[in-house]
């Protein structure tokens, strides 16, 4: 394997357990190394730090998959990592492992590989040149672990462009229907694996839905950025009287409506609208909900956009708070890993002040255990959720 040597003083982050090496940290950057090639990484003194894969086209030039040893990312290692990830899901989730994230990139020792399971169908993303180059080995290992009827490759993420890869959606193995059904917390849900968001469903929130159980009974609920309606459906399961689903996408609302019908949710309405405009309209009309859930897409796609993102979260939470009756509750979420948890809390406090409301934090949520994160790598811990009591 080719050796990559870091500049003096650039090894500290990797030595502490971080798995990325940036291009400006490398002593002699060799652009002739093929994308996805196995490399070993040394510090400036020549001491082995670990092994990874290289991409001269990416700012993240090396993604480590083994620390302190030289080992190629070959079929045997890929199969071992996927097998271990499956064992952990079964231990953590029991029967819930039938529908969950079964591979979470660096969190499972496989940078660039995302795989979600929907019963006997898998939805997979290969986000790096190294993962894309090893597509058949990944699919073989997943086939051995899960015997899926079909695998769809949702390689349409913008992250692939940063790796010099094209975006596409294609069949990987077997047959994959347009929509699949799965169960989570006793709810029967549908996912669009070919055209839905990301891989079809957001399993990272699975444990955070439980925050609604003590506060949902008898409530009027607004599920904003509803997508497939999971927040609102969980509220209804725990006794909400009425749920309003709001999203800017017709496809999302159709999916939410199908899920509502499948679970016998009678008292519901579906509204296609910009969420912020809807909140302003509700507040302006003097209406109020007992429970408002704000689960927007990632506002900060890069560190440079964090100030803009914080302003977006501030405006959203401010108007959301104005739509909650005194004694009601607000759930506010961020899936931007560039926004640190303490900053998100500060933004919620500022939103309460600007809304003229008093709030207390009753619950805090992070990503589910099928999205394991690394303490030395904050980029792997991205989801923040706050349950606020509003006065």
């Amino acid at each position: 394997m080719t050796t990559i040597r870091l500049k003096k003083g650039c090894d500290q982050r990797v030595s502490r357990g971080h798995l990325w090496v940036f291009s400006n940290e490398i002593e002699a950057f060799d652009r002739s190394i093929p994308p996805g090639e196995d490399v070993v990484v040394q510090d400036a003194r020549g001491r082995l730090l670990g092994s990874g894969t290289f991409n001269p086209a990416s700012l993240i030039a090396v993604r480590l998959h083994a620390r302190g040893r030289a080992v190629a990312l070959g079929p045997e290692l890929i199969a071992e990592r996927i097998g271990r990830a499956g064992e952990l899901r079964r231990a953590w989730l029991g029967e819930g492992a039938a529908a969950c994230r079964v591979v979470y990139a660096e969190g499972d020792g496989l940078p660039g590989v995302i795989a979600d399971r929907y019963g006997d169908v898998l939805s997979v993303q290969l986000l790096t040149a190294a993962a894309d180059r090893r597509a058949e080995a990944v699919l073989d290992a997943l086939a051995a672990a899960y015997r899926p009827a079909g695998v769809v490759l949702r390689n349409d993420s913008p992250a692939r462009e940063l790796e010099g890869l094209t975006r596409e959606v294609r069949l990987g193995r077997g047959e994959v229907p347009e929509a699949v059904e799965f169960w989570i917390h006793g709810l029967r849900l549908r996912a669009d694996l070919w055209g839905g968001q990301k891989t079809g469903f957001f399993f990272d929130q699975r444990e955070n839905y439980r925050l609604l159980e003590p506060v949902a009974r008898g409530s009027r609920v607004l599920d904003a950025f509803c997508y497939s309606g999971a927040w609102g459906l969980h509220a209804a399961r725990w006794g909400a009287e009425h749920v309003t689903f709001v999203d800017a996408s017709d496809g999302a609302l159709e999916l939410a409506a199908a899920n509502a019908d499948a679970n016998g949710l009678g008292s519901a309405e579906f509204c296609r609208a910009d969420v912020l405009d809807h909140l302003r309209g509700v507040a302006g009309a003097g209406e109020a909900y007992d429970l408002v859930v704000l689960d927007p897409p990632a506002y900060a796609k890069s560190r440079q956009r964090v100030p803009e993102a914080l302003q977006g979260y501030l405006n959203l939470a401010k108007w959301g708070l104005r739509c909650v009756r005194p004694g009601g509750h607000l759930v506010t979420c961020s899936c931007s890993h560039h926004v640190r948890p303490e900053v998100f809390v500060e933004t919620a406090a500022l939103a309460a002040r600007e809304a003229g409301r008093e709030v207390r934090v009753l619950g805090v949520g992070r990503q589910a255990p099928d999205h394991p994160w690394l303490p030395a790598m904050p980029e792997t811990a991205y989801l923040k959720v706050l349950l606020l009591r509003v006065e």
Side-chain angles (χ1 to χ4, degrees):
M1 292 189 286
T2 302
T3 297
I4 299 293
R5 183 165 292 191
L6 303 187
K7 296 176 182 177
K8 184 178 180 180
C10 290
D11 63 298
Q12 295 183 8
R13 182 170 41 79
V14 173
S15 297
R16 291 194 296 266
H18 203 285
L19 299 180
W20 292 350
V21 175
F22 294 97
S23 57
N24 61 359
E25 296 174 326
I26 297 174
E27 181 62 46
F29 194 86
D30 187 353
R31 295 189 177 277
S32 68
I33 301 174
E37 191 80 358
D38 283 299
V39 296
V40 294
V41 179
Q42 298 177 348
D43 66 11
R45 296 183 180 182
R47 293 176 296 190
L48 178 65
L49 295 175
S51 48
T53 51
F54 183 80
N55 188 352
S58 175
L59 175 63
I60 305 171
V62 180
R63 297 173 187 263
L64 295 172
H65 55 260
R67 298 181 62 235
R69 59 195 180 108
V71 56
L73 185 60
E76 290 186 4
L77 183 61
I78 290 171
E80 185 272 328
R81 296 283 168 85
I82 286 176
R84 183 180 65 183
E87 291 174 0
L88 291 174
R89 270 58 176 188
R90 289 188 289 273
W92 290 331
L93 301 175
E95 293 181 358
C100 71
R101 174 147 295 179
V102 292
V103 180
Y104 176 51
E106 280 85 354
D108 287 305
L110 283 175
V113 180
I114 298 290
D116 284 352
R117 182 186 182 192
Y118 301 85
D120 65 352
V121 175
L122 300 177
S123 181
V124 176
Q125 290 182 314
L126 304 175
L127 302 177
T128 64
D132 193 72
R133 179 169 161 174
R134 295 161 177 80
E136 289 306 308
V138 171
L139 293 176
D140 286 345
L142 288 170
Y146 297 103
R147 306 295 180 189
V151 180
V152 60
L153 292 174
R154 286 299 306 268
N155 290 337
D156 52 347
S157 169
R160 281 176 58 92
E161 295 179 350
L162 300 176
E163 289 278 311
L165 302 171
T166 58
R167 296 166 65 177
E168 63 176 3
V169 178
R170 65 179 178 88
L171 185 66
R173 297 280 175 92
E175 297 182 359
V176 176
E178 183 176 340
V180 297
E181 290 190 349
F182 62 102
W183 292 82
I184 182 169
H185 298 159
L187 290 171
R188 180 184 176 188
L189 301 176
R190 291 167 60 89
D192 177 1
L193 301 192
W194 288 96
Q197 297 177 23
K198 300 288 187 178
T199 59
F201 185 75
F202 297 99
F203 287 114
D204 53 1
Q205 292 278 22
R206 66 185 304 140
E207 299 307 315
N208 298 324
Y209 299 135
R210 300 182 189 277
L211 291 171
L212 303 186
E213 187 171 5
V215 302
R217 183 164 302 280
S219 63
R220 292 182 65 252
V221 179
L222 172 63
D223 182 356
F225 304 99
C226 69
Y227 183 43
S228 59
W231 281 104
L233 289 169
H234 278 86
R237 180 172 181 263
W238 288 315
E241 288 187 356
H242 181 84
V243 182
T244 300
F245 298 89
V246 178
D247 204 285
S249 165
D250 286 328
L253 292 171
E254 291 173 5
L255 184 58
N259 284 332
D261 288 342
N263 290 278
L265 177 57
S267 185
E269 60 182 301
F270 304 86
C271 179
R272 183 182 180 278
D274 175 86
V275 167
L276 195 55
D277 288 344
H278 183 83
L279 295 174
R280 287 170 173 156
V282 169
E287 301 176 3
Y289 293 94
D290 302 297
L291 172 61
V292 172
V293 179
L294 305 173
D295 189 6
Y299 279 178
K301 299 290 188 180
S302 66
R303 186 174 299 175
Q304 291 72 25
R305 296 193 62 180
V306 167
E308 177 186 346
L310 293 177
Q311 187 61 49
Y313 289 124
L314 172 64
N315 289 336
L316 193 62
K318 176 177 66 178
W319 286 102
L321 287 166
R322 289 173 175 171
C323 295
V324 178
R325 67 164 181 81
H329 300 86
L330 176 81
V331 173
T332 180
C333 311
S334 169
C335 59
S336 301
H337 80 257
H338 295 287
V339 176
R340 304 313 308 150
E342 65 276 9
V343 176
F344 188 59
V345 171
E346 292 170 1
T347 302
L350 181 57
R353 187 177 71 186
E354 293 195 4
R357 309 300 296 272
E358 183 178 339
V359 301
R360 290 175 174 81
V361 178
L362 298 186
V364 177
R366 299 298 297 269
Q367 63 216 55
D370 55 353
H371 293 64
W373 52 278
L374 308 178
M377 196 171 179
E379 294 86 351
T380 61
Y382 62 92
L383 186 61
K384 286 85 52 186
V385 181
L386 299 175
L387 170 64
L388 305 177
R389 166 86 173 187
V390 185
E391 302 296 346

